[in-house]
Amino acid sequence: MSVKTIRLFSGTKKLNRSFTVSFLLFLLLAAFGCFMALPLIYAVNNAFKPLDELFIFPPRFLVNNPTMDNFFDLFSLMGNSWVPLSRYIMNTLIITVVGTAGHILLASAAAYPLAKYRFPGSRVLFTIVVLSLMFSAQVTAIPNYMVMSWLGWINTHASIIVPSLSFSLGLFLMKQFMEQIPDALLEAAKIDGASEYRIFWTIVMPNVKPAWLTLMILQFPMLWGSDGGNFIYSENLKTLHYALGQIVQGGIARAGVGAAVALLLMVVPITLFIISQSSVIQTMATSGMKE
Amino acid sequence: MQVEAADRSVPVHSPAAKEPVWARNWREIKKSKHHYILMAPYMILFFMFTVIPVVFSMILSFFYFNMLEFPRFVGLQNYSRLLLGDDVFMIALKNTLMFAVITGPVSYIACFLFAWIINELSPKIRAFMTLVFYAPSIAGNVYFIWLIFFSGDAYGYLNGFLMKTGFILEPVQWLTNEQYILTIIIIVQLWLSLGTSFLAFIAGLQTVDHTLIEAGSIDGIKNRWQELWFITLPSMRPQLMFGAVMQITSSFAVADVAIALAGFPSVNYAAHTIVTHLMDYGTIRFEMGYASAIATVLFGLMLGANLLIQKLLRKVGE
C-alpha cells in the first residue's frame, strides 16, 4: 500500500486515522458493495442471455454470448399480443410523469407559506404532516379504497396518481429547503408589488430547483415501480411492473422476455439518479433537517 | 423535527392585545388568505388520502362492515377477536416484530456505517459507492431477481452452487420451507433498505463542521471512534432522527417482498405480516371493520416505536 493508494481512498487529509482500521473498513465496504451490486449486475447480464444460457446447469452468473434477441422478442411478441407492450410503457410513463410533476408543484406551493410565514393553523398542519411520516401508506389502504370507489376512480390512472401527489416526505423536505431562501429577496419583491403567487412562481420556485430533483428522485421510482393491481383491472390500463409479473408467470418460454422487461424497469430510475445525484445530496445536506 | 417559522405575520402593535382572540385570529386568517390558497390543493389531497382515512379507519374498527350492508356497531369486538382469538394474527405480529427488530436496527446501522465509510472516500469513488448502495432501493422493485437466486429447482443459483460444490445432493425448496423463508425475506429486505435515510446520512456527514473535528483533536480525541461518538453523531442528530423515522416505518410495513418471494398466503403463514393480514381481510374477505382494527393496531405500533426511538436518540453523544 503506497501513499498513492491511500490518496485514492481518502479525499482529504483526516486527523486521527489509523491505516489498518481504514483498510479493514474499506474492505467491509467493498464486500457489502458486492452484495448490493451483484443482483443488479446479474439482472443486466440476464437480459442479454440467449435462452440456452438462461437454463444452463449449473447456472452461470455472467453472459457468454450476449444477444439482443430478448429485446427483439419482447417487442415482437408483445407487439402482437392483445395489449402491446408500448401500452404498458405509456401507462407507466403517464402515471410517473404526471404524478411526479404534480407532486413537485403541489408540495412546493404548500411548503412556501409553511416555510416563510406563520399564520393560524400553520404549526398544526405541519405537525400533522411530520406525524404522517411516521406511518406508512398501508395503514390507510382500506379507507382509501372506499374513497376511490365512492369517487368512481377505480380502474383509472387517477387512483394511483392523485394520492401520490400528497406524499408527505416531499412537503417536509421542500419546506426545510425553502427556509434558506433569504427573506430579503421576498421582501424586495413584495415592495415591488408582486403578489404571493407571483413571488412563489418567479422567485421561490426557480430558487429551489435542486430540491425539485430530490423530490423527483424520491417520487419517480415509487411510481415507476408501482403495480396498481389493487385499483386497476383493465388490461390496457395496467402498468409495466404488473405486466412483468404476468410475463414472469408465463414460464420458461418467456424467461428471456422477463429478463429484458426487468432491465427496462430498473434502468430508468437508476439513470435518473446518476444524473441528479450531486444536487440531491447537496439539497439534503444544505436543507439541514432542523430539530 | 420542529416547526420554526418567522414571526413576521404576528401583529406587534398594542391594540391587538385588547381584541378578543377570535377577532384577532379571524383578521390573521383573512390577512394570510393567499397562503391558504397556495396550500389548499396539497392539503385537500393530504387530508382526503391520509388524515381522514386514518381517523375513518379508527372509527370503522368499532363496526362490522362488509361493503354491502350498512355498518353495524360492535364495540371492541373486532379488537378482542383480533388480539385474543386470531392465531394467524399472532403469527403475523410475531413475524412483523421480527422484521422490525432485525431489519430496522440492522439497516439503520448499516445505512450510517456505510455512509460514514463512504464519506472518507475521494469524491468520484464516493459518488460511485453511493450509487451502488442506493441503487437497489430505487431499481423499480426488481426483487424478483432473488426468486431466481433462491429458486427451488436445480436452476436456482443457490441450489446450483451448493450442488456443484457438493454440500447438498438435491435442490432445497428455499421459498416454501418454513425454516428458511423468514431469513431469506430479511436478507432481501436488508438489500432493499438503504434508501432515503442512507442519502440523508451521506448528506448529513458532509455538513459536519471540520473545525469541530480539528478542535476535538486538540482537546484530546484520540481515534475515529471517539470522533464519531463525540462529534460526528451529535452534529448529525436531525438526520439521525429523520433516518430512524424512515427505517422504522418501512420495517413495520414489510409485505411486497414477502408476497413476491413466499407467495400470498405463504406456506403455513410462515411469511405472513400484519400488512398481508390486512390485505387478506380488506381485499379478499371484505371484512372492512376487522381490517380497520388491524390497520389501527399497525398504526399504533409504528407511531409508538417512532416516538420511543426518538426519545432514545436524544441521548446520542451524551
Side-chain angles (χ1 to χ4, degrees), chain A residues 9 17 22 60 116 120 289, chain B residues 8 36 120-121 157 238:
Chain A
F9 284 123
R17 288 293 179 269
S22 289
R60 305 185 76 125
K116 284 293 165 194
M289 295 138 195
Chain B
R8 212 164 307 111
Y36 293 109
E120 309 228 325
L121 303 171
Y157 277 69

Side-chain angles (χ1 to χ4, degrees), chain B residues 10-14 16:
Chain B
V10 177
V12 275
H13 50 90
S14 54

Side-chain angles (χ1 to χ4, degrees), chain A residues 112 117 181-204 207:
Chain A
Y112 165 56
Y117 301 96
I181 298 173
D183 289 341
L185 200 63
L186 305 179
E187 266 149 33
K190 221 169 279 173
I191 291 165
D192 288 347
S195 70
E196 286 293 352
Y197 310 103
R198 212 185 139 85
I199 293 175
F200 167 68
W201 192 247
T202 58
I203 295 173
V204 176
N207 267 306

Side-chain angles (χ1 to χ4, degrees), chain A residues 136-180:
Chain A
S136 71
Q138 278 93 341
V139 168
T140 57
I142 303 294
N144 268 351
Y145 184 85
M146 293 186 210
V147 171
M148 289 300 167
S149 73
W150 281 327
L151 290 170
W153 284 358
I154 297 293
N155 216 7
T156 63
H157 287 154
S159 64
I160 304 179
I161 296 172
V162 178
S164 79
L165 297 180
S166 62
F167 180 47
S168 47
L169 183 58
L171 177 77
F172 174 72
L173 291 174
M174 194 51 106
K175 184 220 165 222
Q176 304 287 24
F177 192 73
M178 281 181 177
E179 278 178 359
Q180 308 171 86

Side-chain angles (χ1 to χ4, degrees), chain A residues 8-10 17-18 22 36 42 49 55 57 60 116 118 120 134-135 167 183 197 225 262 269 277 285 289, chain B residues 7-9 34 36-37 42 120-122 127 130 138 141 144 148 154-155 157 191 207 224 227 238 299 306:
Chain A
L8 184 74
F9 284 123
S10 162
R17 288 293 179 269
S18 101
S22 289
M36 299 304 279
Y42 168 77
K49 278 181 187 168
F55 291 100
F57 179 83
R60 305 185 76 125
K116 284 293 165 194
R118 194 147 135 200
M134 297 186 193
F135 57 85
F167 180 47
D183 289 341
Y197 310 103
Q277 184 177 13
M289 295 138 195
Chain B
D7 244 349
R8 212 164 307 111
S9 318
H34 299 300
Y36 293 109
I37 294 172
Y42 179 92
E120 309 228 325
L121 303 171
S122 62
T130 308
I138 52 165
N141 303 347
F144 75 93
I148 305 163
Y155 297 108
Y157 277 69
W191 180 72
T207 62
R224 73 179 82 207
E227 181 189 306
F299 174 77
N306 268 306

Side-chain angles (χ1 to χ4, degrees), chain A residues 4 18 21 45 80 87 91-92 94 112 135 179 193 205 210-211 220 240 244 254-255 259 280:
Chain A
K4 234 182 186 173
S18 101
V21 181
N45 271 287
N80 294 333
R87 196 52 160 289
N91 289 337
T92 307
I94 290 172
Y112 165 56
F135 57 85
E179 278 178 359
M205 276 306 252
F220 188 98
L240 195 59
L244 171 68
R254 296 281 179 83
V280 170

